[in-house]
Amino acid sequence: MRLRYLPLRGILKPIVGVTVLGARIANARALVDSGADFSLFDATIAAYAGIEFDPRLRRRVSGVGGAITVDGAWVDTIVAKHRLRLLMFFAPDLPINLLGRDNFFHFFRVGFDELDHQIELRYRRGPHR
């Protein structure tokens, strides 16, 4: 599936829609980020959807903006018309949600077409490790 980049602060980016399937359905947008180790979403999405965190998945992570503590959960989602169970981490006050390599990239072969401002998500059939 090829999707057009969407604007983020005036710049076109590889952003896709994500439906979070919790006690309530939450629709969000996320940057497909090959530089992100894992998927990280704003905690308000988890609160709205009624996602319960697994205390064993709490961790301290660091990135360009510094270090933060994140809470994790396995979450049922829909991305690019496919139902996925993703390991997602949540933190307050994130400027953008991220879909990272572990484990979102296990479900799709991801291609970035910067000239045409499109992202290609090719679903992988079979086990997703």
Side-chain angles (χ1 to χ4, degrees), residues 36-51:
D37 293 330
F38 49 84
S39 297
L40 182 62
F41 278 63
D42 192 276
T44 58
I45 294 167
Y48 178 84
I51 303 297

Side-chain angles (χ1 to χ4, degrees), residues 21 73-77 82-88 103 107:
L21 305 172
W74 286 93
V75 180
D76 291 318
T77 65
H82 292 279
R83 188 176 178 128
L84 316 172
R85 186 159 179 82
L86 295 177
L87 175 59
M88 298 173 76
N103 64 349
F107 288 96

Side-chain angles (χ1 to χ4, degrees), residues 33 35-37 40 61-68 98:
D33 187 351
D37 293 330
L40 182 62
V61 299
S62 60
V64 175
I68 58 172
L98 304 175

Side-chain angles (χ1 to χ4, degrees), residues 8-9 15 29-31 33 40-42 93-98:
L8 175 66
R9 294 183 207 96
I15 295 173
R29 295 183 345 158
L31 177 70
D33 187 351
L40 182 62
F41 278 63
D42 192 276
D93 304 319
L94 293 179
I96 182 69
N97 302 311
L98 304 175

